[in-house]
Amino acid sequence: MTADRRSVLRTAARLAAVTAVGAVSACAPGPTRGTPVQAPSDPPEGPAGYSLRLRPTPPATPAATGAPAPSGAVVPAVAPLAPGTPVEVVNGPRGRAEVALTFHGEGDPAQATALLERAEQRGVRLTVLAVGRWLDQQPQMAERILRGGHELGNHTQNHLNINALSPAQAHAEIAECAERLRRLTGSIGRWFRPSATQYASPMVREQARLVGYEHCLSFDVDPRDYSDPGADLLQRRLLRSVQGGSVVALHMGHQGTVDALPAVLDGLQRLGLRAVTASQLCT
């Protein structure tokens, strides 16, 4: 056997091994929703007090957002992020008396609307990372979220364990949700949050960038509202962990979260903190 032939066979074997490890069923479930996220050690501090998972690189030319917004759609102006904003934001600058309340966008639209209304009554704006299949079922929620002055982003199409997917599967999960957002609002939104994980893998960050997301949105506070602990325990968990610059992970579709929101906002006010969108926190 020639040296060239042996080299070709070795390369083919390596590619087959990588494919076997990376490929999983597109229907594979992520971690059980009731299982708390196990956070690794604190990420290193980045520019302006950010915590980050990846040092920022010079920004690429922003991807075009596609066709103009549909008639009547609300596309608010978005200020540019602060220089040095990391590729994956875990928290904003610690020196700011602001936090971002971010929500997994799925579930009963009546509960989602009640949550938005309670925030709006207090002059608070939320960040909703919508699951694409929810937008397929409840397309009116995209416009409702933006009409209230809130921020809308991408939380994948089917909420699979995205870090366990192949690059092609991960790309499809991000791109399909982005297409729903673009069709409904004229924009894919600024933020992508990986599904069924706290942090995006390097592969997922790259696929998000290819779809048009320069920044992934993680979080540093997780009161596990998806486990339905009750409004009192939820607000205590959140308020004892939050600090300036925190990004809080919460979920629509849970009545306890709706019920806890007023007490959460009162507690933040006592701590001298104000709830803003993720973009406002990073501007």
Side-chain angles (χ1 to χ4, degrees):
M1 183 182 295
T2 67
D4 287 347
R5 176 66 174 164
R6 285 195 298 271
S7 176
V8 168
L9 290 176
R10 283 197 299 270
T11 300
R14 285 197 299 270
L15 289 173
V18 169
T19 301
V21 171
V24 299
S25 168
C27 297
T32 303
R33 286 285 299 277
T35 304
V37 171
Q38 298 298 318
S41 57
D42 290 339
E45 286 296 310
Y50 287 97
S51 291
L52 54 129
R53 297 288 297 173
L54 184 70
R55 292 286 177 181
T57 55
T61 302
T65 58
S71 176
V74 180
V75 185
V78 179
L81 298 184
T85 301
V87 171
E88 184 165 29
V89 172
V90 179
N91 59 266
R94 288 301 189 193
R96 299 180 67 164
E98 295 175 333
V99 300
L101 301 181
T102 68
F103 288 81
H104 168 112
E106 199 170 22
D108 182 352
Q111 288 178 329
T113 300
L115 184 74
L116 297 172
E117 288 174 347
R118 292 195 177 192
E120 290 157 12
Q121 288 165 4
R122 300 287 294 269
V124 168
R125 300 296 177 259
L126 311 176
T127 298
V128 180
L129 292 312
V131 178
R133 66 189 179 200
W134 184 59
L135 296 178
D136 289 339
Q137 298 161 1
Q138 308 294 339
Q140 77 283 1
M141 290 306 303
E143 187 273 337
R144 173 61 184 88
I145 289 164
L146 294 179
R147 178 161 44 85
H150 309 285
E151 187 167 29
L152 185 60
N154 183 326
H155 197 32
T156 74
Q157 179 62 23
N158 295 295
H159 204 264
L160 305 177
N161 182 1
I162 194 165
N163 282 346
L165 301 182
S166 70
Q169 291 168 332
H171 186 97
E173 278 292 304
I174 302 167
E176 287 178 23
C177 184
E179 187 276 329
R180 270 69 171 174
L181 290 167
R182 179 162 39 218
R183 173 167 47 83
L184 292 170
T185 72
S187 169
I188 66 172
R190 168 172 279 163
W191 300 102
F192 166 71
R193 170 166 285 169
S195 50
T197 182
Q198 183 172 6
Y199 302 125
S201 69
M203 178 274 290
V204 169
R205 289 195 293 263
E206 174 62 12
Q207 297 310 314
R209 187 191 67 78
L210 291 172
V211 174
Y213 295 99
E214 291 297 328
H215 302 280
C216 296
L217 186 61
S218 182
F219 51 89
D220 66 313
V221 177
D222 179 13
R224 305 191 302 281
D225 63 333
Y226 50 77
S227 65
D228 295 316
D232 290 343
L233 180 55
L234 169 57
Q235 61 95 9
R236 289 201 301 272
R237 284 177 178 174
L238 192 159
L239 293 173
R240 71 179 176 226
S241 301
V242 75
Q243 57 182 304
S246 282
V247 177
V248 183
L250 294 163
H251 294 73
M252 290 179 161
H254 294 264
Q255 188 60 43
T257 304
V258 179
D259 295 339
L261 187 61
V264 166
L265 297 177
D266 288 341
L268 291 175
Q269 187 173 31
R270 288 194 299 271
L271 294 171
L273 299 172
R274 183 169 69 100
V276 299
T277 67
S279 285
Q280 289 172 324
L281 183 65
C282 299
T283 297

